[in-house]
Amino acid sequence: AQSVTQPDIHITVSEGASLELRCNYSYGATPYLFWYVQSPGQGLQLLLKYFSGDTLVQGIKGFEAEFKRSQSSFNLRKPSVHWSDAAEYFCAVGPYGTDKLIFGTGTRLQVFP
Amino acid sequence: DAGVIQSPRHEVTEMGQEVTLRCKPISGHNSLFWYRQTMMRGLELLIYFNNNVPIDDSGMPEDRFSAKMPNASFSTLKIQPSEPRDSAVYFCASSLGGDEIPYGYTFGSGTRLTVV
């Protein structure tokens, strides 16, 4: 069965520091992968997605993610975090053959000034 | 486009009352999803429509929950009777995707339901 694991429940970083949020998936074929962000009191917003091709994907708000098939990972990165990036981040996988996404449990990011 | 529109944003109701949540998907999107989010259980898929037809309702908690999509521009999620444990944020999302490729969702802002 397909699944998504976000090993870090809560991460704290200082403003200006680099960030990497981890995501591991379980799926038998090449998946479609997504990262979403949820600010407090808001819905989830799509940051970026990977379908095929270049394994380094650029998204909005300065985020990028790298697909590594050998590690079954799709980690989200940002070189310099801003206080406004404090939010919850969800990784999701979309198996081929369905329109349904499987979400991870989320990672809450806290940013200190 | 105004995005996915949900109403109301907040709903407070008494236990036993009927609650109806509404969703207008993005025009042209042919898939619609209802999710529930709580601290304890995270994000749960309740039901999924494609071309107005329910495809997967395995996440609907029990018979008290029902969802309809009478046309491509409107969906409702109804809880009758409501219970305190139904308190959560309910999200609607829509997608351009069809049967094969998941294009990713656009989420609404959610309805925060409190049952007292």
Side-chain angles (χ1 to χ4, degrees):
Chain A
Q2 303 91 6
S3 65
V4 178
T5 302
Q6 293 182 249
D8 304 306
I9 296 173
H10 186 204
I11 284 183
T12 302
V13 300
S14 298
E15 191 169 20
S18 63
L19 172 70
E20 182 168 25
L21 302 182
R22 296 183 291 164
C23 173
N24 294 97
Y25 66 90
S26 172
Y27 181 59
T30 300
Y32 300 88
L33 296 160
F34 305 80
W35 274 100
Y36 284 84
V37 60
Q38 184 180 27
S39 298
Q42 301 297 315
L44 281 72
Q45 180 185 19
L46 181 65
L47 280 176
L48 49 80
K49 57 187 176 184
Y50 171 78
F51 278 10
S52 64
D54 193 345
T55 57
L56 187 61
V57 180
Q58 301 298 320
I60 63 171
K61 305 186 180 188
F63 285 92
E64 66 178 27
E66 186 171 13
F67 170 59
K68 292 186 177 180
R69 183 191 304 276
S70 61
Q71 299 176 19
S72 297
S73 69
F74 188 57
N75 294 350
L76 182 71
R77 302 195 295 246
K78 187 168 185 178
S80 178
V81 171
H82 189 262
W83 63 266
S84 60
D85 293 323
E88 186 140 20
Y89 292 80
F90 292 89
C91 182
V93 61
Y96 181 84
T98 174
D99 200 20
K100 194 167 68 172
L101 297 186
I102 300 164
F103 284 88
T105 51
T107 297
R108 181 167 297 278
L109 174 65
Q110 193 170 7
V111 181
F112 280 114
Chain B
D1 200 318
V4 176
I5 300 173
Q6 291 187 247
S7 64
R9 284 300 307 273
H10 301 275
E11 176 81 35
V12 180
T13 189
E14 291 185 345
M15 183 174 62
Q17 296 297 306
E18 178 180 293
V19 176
T20 299
L21 311 182
R22 296 172 176 80
C23 175
K24 177 179 169 56
I26 291 175
S27 177
H29 281 192
N30 54 18
S31 292
L32 183 139
F33 306 82
W34 282 101
Y35 279 85
R36 178 171 67 177
Q37 187 178 39
T38 61
M39 289 292 292
M40 291 297 295
R41 301 170 72 95
L43 203 58
E44 301 175 275
L45 177 64
L46 300 177
I47 188 169
Y48 152 39
F49 293 88
N50 183 254
N51 292 322
N52 312 337
V53 175
I55 303 299
D56 183 354
D57 65 354
S58 59
M60 295 286 265
E62 49 199 272
D63 292 344
R64 297 186 297 107
F65 285 68
S66 62
K68 294 183 180 179
M69 192 164 186
N71 56 61
S73 59
F74 184 65
S75 177
T76 59
L77 177 68
K78 186 177 294 187
I79 308 173
Q80 165 64 15
S82 57
E83 296 182 2
R85 60 191 169 121
D86 301 330
S87 297
V89 180
Y90 290 81
F91 288 105
C92 176
S94 70
S95 169
L96 184 60
D99 294 331
E100 295 183 344
I101 297 176
Y103 284 89
Y105 305 162
T106 300
F107 280 83
S109 297
T111 295
R112 181 173 295 276
L113 173 65
T114 303
V115 183
V116 298

